[in-house]
Amino acid sequence: LDGRIESYVWVGDSDYDGGSIWKIDGRSGEVLFRTKVAGCKPYGFALDGRNPQNLWVSCRSNNALARIDTSRCTSAGCAAETTPASGATDFRTCVGEGIINPGTANERNCDTAVKQRIAVPQSPYGITVDRNQRVWLGSDGSAYRYDPMATGGSSGERWARASTGTSRGISVDALLFAYAAREGNRVTQVDGNAMGGGPTSNPFTLPSVELDNTNNNASWGTAVDFDGKVWVLGKDRSVAMVLSPTTTF
């Protein structure tokens, strides 16, 4: 939910027209507009707390993470994919360090674009944003943290990872510990307080620990409640598990 003066809901469909994103009035249910990010089939959405606010989208295609500036994307035609990547109001396809055409005379910043598609190390699943406005992703092999405010460009320091195996849903608590739902009835706790970052090709390694298994519940999604307990939704059974993590790193 995008809750400024009015409440808006963002939803996606990975198959409709190659991947579509709708903005809906949360009070009336009216569809305000439909847009898309080229090369992105939406899987999960998360809004950050920055001003202007960004919608982050995990894309199960082309190993991508998408960003939409919600203050400037206010109609279906915002930042059309045919717009040349020359101004601050366009769509840009970026490497994982937030730049386009790296290492050339045409290298330029992607972070000022209305829409941005960012290369990620592995194809992502779940997504969330922590209180420091860093984006977390589950993926086919690891859990990743992307810091859009860290140094980008050729010396990129935006990526960090934890070896979790295939992880689906992911959530982060108020203490900056992330919880990744893993295949094989597991949940991995990742220490998001560890400071560091690297380029897409060599992310900084985050400490992590495997929590108790979730009673053969095929972990699929996670959420953290007000008390810091971690709720785990299973895929293969009609139950939810709750964990009370006490691990310290």
Side-chain angles (χ1 to χ4, degrees):
L1 289 177
D2 173 0
R4 290 197 182 97
I5 298 174
E6 297 182 61
S7 294
Y8 299 111
V9 180
W10 295 84
V11 297
D13 188 323
S14 62
D15 295 323
Y16 185 83
D17 194 24
S20 294
I21 298 168
W22 287 267
K23 186 176 184 178
I24 300 172
D25 188 310
R27 293 188 173 92
S28 68
E30 176 189 2
V31 175
L32 301 176
F33 63 86
R34 176 176 70 87
T35 188
K36 61 190 301 185
V37 175
C40 175
K41 292 188 174 183
Y43 184 89
F45 289 174
L47 284 158
D48 65 21
R50 297 167 67 187
N51 185 18
Q53 190 172 49
N54 295 293
L55 175 70
W56 295 91
V57 186
S58 61
C59 312
R60 284 295 294 168
S61 60
N62 298 335
N63 288 19
L65 168 68
R67 180 191 60 81
I68 298 175
D69 181 338
T70 63
S71 69
R72 291 187 290 166
C73 185
T74 57
S75 65
C78 72
E81 273 69 63
T82 56
T83 303
S86 58
T89 59
D90 56 4
F91 163 82
R92 301 184 193 177
T93 300
C94 316
V95 297
E97 284 63 65
I99 53 175
I100 190 170
N101 301 322
T104 73
N106 293 320
E107 180 177 314
R108 62 175 65 93
N109 183 6
C110 285
D111 296 333
T112 57
V114 174
K115 288 179 181 174
Q116 182 181 17
R117 192 182 76 224
I118 304 161
V120 304
Q122 293 178 298
S123 189
Y125 277 108
I127 183 171
T128 193
V129 178
D130 68 25
R131 62 181 174 85
N132 287 346
Q133 310 309 314
R134 301 171 302 184
V135 182
W136 291 80
L137 298 165
S139 81
D140 283 335
S142 299
Y144 286 95
R145 185 184 71 194
Y146 176 74
D147 187 348
M149 294 167 287
T151 302
S154 301
S155 60
E157 299 174 357
R158 295 188 169 186
W159 289 100
R161 67 181 288 272
S163 299
T164 60
T166 297
S167 54
R168 310 289 186 177
I170 191 165
S171 57
V172 183
D173 66 17
L175 300 177
L176 297 178
F177 290 102
Y179 299 91
R182 290 184 48 192
E183 285 190 346
N185 313 314
R186 300 284 179 176
V187 174
T188 297
Q189 183 186 41
V190 183
D191 186 2
N193 294 284
M195 302 301 293
T200 312
S201 59
N202 186 30
F204 175 78
T205 299
L206 294 169
S208 63
V209 63
E210 188 175 278
L211 302 183
D212 291 339
N213 70 45
T214 53
N215 197 25
N216 297 317
N217 201 28
S219 306
W220 204 257
T222 65
V224 181
D225 67 19
F226 180 81
D227 297 317
K229 294 180 180 178
V230 180
W231 292 81
V232 185
L233 182 66
K235 177 187 177 184
D236 297 333
R237 299 174 62 195
S238 300
V239 296
M241 303 291 294
V242 63
L243 305 175
S244 299
T246 58
T247 301
T248 57
F249 288 82

